[in-house]
Amino acid sequence: MTAMTYRHLQLRRVAGALGAEITGVDLGALSDAAFVEIQRAFCEYSAVYFPDQRLTPEQQCAFTGRFGPLTHHPLIATLPGHPHVAGLVREADSTGMNFGGSWHADSTFMESPPFATSLYAIEVPPQGGDTLFASLYLAYETLSAGMRELCDRLVVVHSAAAAYDPDRGANDPKKSLIMQKGMQYNLTEDPKKEMEHPLVCVHPVSGRKVLWETGVYCLRFRDMTEEESAPLLNYLRRHIANPNFTCRMGYRPGTLGMWDNRAVQHFAMNDYAGYRRVMHRVQVGGPPPVGPAMPVRTVTTASQTATVPVH
Ligand code: SIN
């Protein structure tokens, strides 16, 4: 892809695979022309971050809401008075698993998972606490033709059970998210609920295919057991985490990071024991993903369909 030019912001690529740092903009007072370029950069680089911002929760919501309607994570508590802002808190003395501390894409157990997430740094450790991103475009494009053809035909059953269901070990403080000190959960959806999405999705803006394996939320392939599905899912997970497909986003207080949940997996580093980290997280809803194995989706919770041509 040819890199595009930007007139209303400065953009620095941070890795060969994906990711860009954007400066020269104030997200709290953004012109329409600058926003159009940010939208373009978001799709071109899949993960972007803006250092040195000063945003209230309202301003973070106003900026993120320019991408589309805000939704909320169905399992994390939001800040009082801010129904779209989830607080991600890890205390200095927290131990065990951190929120987001494995490769995943966000909330893919939902029928219409968020297409974008913004994360605003309130309090960060002096070092560590970065987020890693992996390009699911590159993950797909580097598979062999035979494996791409197989993946194109598969449908994955997603659920939040592995992370949030006490019946699957979510009460174990070493493995579980919901037992961690600092975080507040609000399980408004049944974590056992299952949702099908195509393994290969077509990105609605770029038209490119992505390998939409989303980590902990992918339980099994449709019409297969978990045991039968595990070898291929595990192979794809190792493939996606290839360092050549990744970039790394670091934070100072006031950094806002944003990622395209249709095109990346991410991983919150857990390398800052003894320090507190507080982030505000806002997400944008999107239509359900479509791909060769599920070219048309009819949303059951709203009268909405999404289609893509299948090649
Ligand atoms: C997330 O997975 O939504 C959070 C990522 C992070 O805290 O770095």
Side-chain angles (χ1 to χ4, degrees):
M1 193 196 296
T2 316
M4 304 191 205
T5 52
Y6 294 89
R7 291 178 44 232
H8 300 279
L9 49 84
Q10 281 85 54
L11 183 144
R12 181 178 70 85
R13 295 183 67 156
V14 296
L18 77 167
E21 179 191 61
I22 295 178
T23 51
V25 285
D26 174 358
L27 299 183
L30 197 62
S31 68
D32 289 342
F35 178 68
V36 167
E37 292 196 348
I38 287 174
Q39 259 185 321
R40 200 148 47 77
F42 172 78
C43 285
E44 189 178 6
Y45 294 100
S46 302
V48 291
Y49 65 99
F50 306 84
D52 304 324
Q53 301 295 319
R54 287 170 70 86
L55 297 176
T56 61
E58 288 83 1
Q59 287 172 316
Q60 183 183 357
C61 287
F63 168 68
T64 312
R66 289 174 86 156
F67 285 78
L70 299 182
T71 57
H72 66 91
H73 192 295
L75 306 168
I76 319 175
T78 51
L79 302 188
H82 299 286
H84 293 115
V85 185
L88 304 190
V89 180
R90 183 152 175 96
E91 298 294 355
D93 59 352
S94 289
T95 53
M97 179 82 178
N98 58 325
F99 181 85
S102 66
W103 283 108
H104 69 286
D106 287 331
S107 305
T108 65
F109 49 85
M110 296 169 75
E111 183 173 39
S112 298
F115 85 77
T117 303
S118 76
L119 196 63
Y120 182 61
I122 304 291
E123 184 175 341
V124 291
Q127 61 280 316
D130 296 353
T131 314
L132 310 183
F133 294 90
S135 167
L136 300 180
Y137 288 124
L138 291 179
Y140 180 77
E141 290 161 5
T142 52
L143 292 172
S144 65
M147 183 60 94
R148 287 199 303 272
E149 200 265 329
L150 169 64
C151 290
D152 279 355
R153 287 187 279 119
L154 293 172
V155 170
V156 181
V157 178
H158 295 239
S159 112
Y164 294 96
D165 180 6
D167 292 346
R168 291 184 67 124
N171 279 343
D172 176 345
K174 289 203 191 63
K175 289 195 279 178
S176 165
L177 293 176
I178 61 175
M179 296 301 287
Q180 292 311 306
K181 188 174 168 191
M183 286 290 297
Q184 291 197 340
Y185 292 92
N186 179 19
L187 304 189
T188 57
E189 281 225 4
D190 177 4
K192 289 186 174 61
K193 192 168 135 191
E194 297 189 345
M195 184 57 58
E196 292 185 347
H197 296 299
L199 174 59
V200 173
C201 299
V202 177
H203 192 284
V205 178
S206 68
R208 288 164 71 194
K209 286 180 177 173
V210 293
L211 181 64
W212 215 57
E213 197 287 325
T214 64
V216 65
Y217 301 129
C218 290
L219 281 192
R220 61 178 189 279
F221 297 111
R222 179 199 271 170
D223 301 327
M224 293 188 207
T225 64
E226 288 188 31
E227 196 179 6
E228 289 166 340
S229 308
L232 180 54
L233 284 175
N234 288 336
Y235 169 75
L236 295 176
R237 286 170 185 153
R238 285 196 304 277
H239 175 70
I240 289 167
N242 180 334
N244 291 319
F245 305 157
T246 68
C247 75
R248 186 177 189 119
M249 193 183 280
Y251 304 93
R252 298 192 291 264
T255 300
L256 183 118
M258 194 155 184
W259 57 89
D260 185 343
N261 201 45
R262 305 163 296 193
V264 300
Q265 276 203 29
H266 57 285
F267 182 117
M269 294 289 291
N270 185 0
D271 60 348
Y272 52 95
Y275 294 98
R276 193 165 189 255
R277 181 180 187 265
V278 180
M279 315 293 269
H280 286 174
R281 182 184 182 288
V282 175
Q283 64 183 37
V284 183
V290 286
M294 294 177 83
V296 178
R297 309 285 302 270
T298 303
V299 181
T300 55
T301 50
S303 53
Q304 196 185 1
T305 54
T307 58
V308 285
V310 181
H311 302 290

